Amino acid sequence: MLYWLLKYIILGPALKLIFRPQVEGREHVPDSGPAILASNHLSFSDSIFMPLMVKRKVTFVAKAEYFTGKGIKGWLIKQFFVGTGTIPVDRSGGRAAQAALDTQLRVLRGGNLAGIYPEGTRSPDGRLYRGKTGVARLALESGAPVIPVVMLNADEIQPPGALIPKIKRVKIRFGAPLDFSRYAGMSGDRFVERAVTDEIMYDLMELSGREYVDMYAQKAKAQAVVPAQAEPRESVAA
């Protein structure tokens, strides 16, 4: 109930008025039945604007820590994720990825829309990074079509680390559904899963016009930390 109140009464109308979303290809999202919305990930606001532009509910998963925070801040974060239809998943231990996959499979088998960010984390610099194969396993095990979605300028509106978004028109593009029924029964084959994932990422690259980097975004973030730590020491030595 909170999801629909936020979307259509409390938050949604105001966001549409302020950010005037420009959406292309929304007709590719089916009116019924399961589908996977696979999106690039530029900003925290992706999880707000993309579902807002779809008539049906889009379900994401997020780490359980977002739902257990302390104080007013923790309560507000929890209410946000609950209100946006996000399902908490325990990501501790070795079965974290499987827990997220199982949760999304239940969503799809119920005939609903599942949202996923194949890169696994936000892009550190706006480029598109190598996709993780969880999206392929989800598609192959559910049989649901994959609808590529690109956030075209979310990193300009709310860059990583920015608390207050800039007032700028949001631009979103939905691509034609991808059908992977030719790989039916081949979930678990790592070569097939990589091929499916790469096909999805290629579509995201074509739709977004963003540069593709054949590296996981998490690794790129880790590498970026090293120069940032080393620079002050070099300056002192000089």
Side-chain angles (χ1 to χ4, degrees):
M1 181 62 71
L2 181 57
Y3 177 89
W4 299 113
L5 283 173
L6 285 172
K7 185 169 184 175
Y8 288 113
I9 298 176
I10 301 173
L11 194 59
L15 290 176
K16 288 181 179 179
L17 181 64
I18 294 169
F19 293 97
R20 301 172 296 120
Q22 178 180 315
V23 185
E24 300 175 31
R26 186 162 32 190
E27 68 275 8
H28 293 306
V29 181
D31 292 330
S32 62
I36 301 164
L37 300 183
S39 175
N40 64 333
H41 199 10
L42 300 175
S43 166
F44 177 80
S45 63
D46 296 341
S47 298
I48 300 174
F49 290 119
M50 190 267 276
L52 185 62
M53 294 299 102
V54 178
K55 294 179 182 178
R56 301 170 61 193
K57 181 179 179 180
V58 182
T59 300
F60 286 88
V61 297
K63 57 186 180 182
E65 292 91 316
Y66 285 138
F67 296 79
T68 58
K70 305 293 185 181
I72 295 177
K73 181 180 179 181
W75 182 85
L76 289 172
I77 291 174
K78 176 183 176 181
Q79 293 307 309
F80 168 79
F81 282 103
V82 169
T84 53
T86 304
I87 298 176
V89 174
D90 184 359
R91 294 175 59 179
S92 61
R95 287 183 50 81
Q98 189 60 46
L101 178 64
D102 290 343
T103 300
Q104 291 290 54
L105 279 173
R106 287 195 296 272
V107 170
L108 292 167
R109 286 168 180 162
N112 301 305
L113 300 178
I116 188 170
Y117 299 116
E119 293 166 280
T121 186
R122 280 175 287 183
S123 170
D125 53 18
R127 296 185 294 177
L128 188 67
Y129 284 83
R130 194 174 199 226
K132 296 189 175 183
T133 57
V135 65
R137 292 197 300 275
L138 196 59
L140 296 176
E141 291 189 28
S142 68
V146 177
I147 300 169
V149 188
V150 290
M151 310 300 294
L152 295 171
N153 64 340
D155 52 340
E156 299 171 10
I157 294 171
Q158 189 178 23
L163 182 62
I164 306 298
K166 299 177 182 176
I167 305 301
K168 190 172 184 178
R169 190 167 197 180
V170 176
K171 297 180 180 180
I172 305 171
R173 181 177 294 148
F174 293 84
L178 300 175
D179 178 16
F180 296 107
S181 58
R182 63 190 182 278
Y183 296 121
M186 300 182 73
S187 177
D189 185 316
R190 63 189 181 95
F191 295 105
V192 170
E193 290 180 351
R194 174 45 57 190
V196 169
T197 303
D198 288 347
E199 184 174 338
I200 294 169
M201 300 311 295
Y202 182 82
D203 256 48
L204 292 177
M205 179 187 71
E206 289 285 289
L207 284 168
S208 67
R210 301 258 174 167
E211 178 185 352
Y212 176 78
V213 183
D214 193 21
M215 175 194 298
Y216 291 117
Q218 197 63 49
K219 183 177 180 181
K221 287 182 178 181
Q223 290 181 350
V225 170
V226 177
Q229 292 177 339
E231 188 175 350
R233 290 196 293 268
E234 292 172 356
S235 300
V236 170

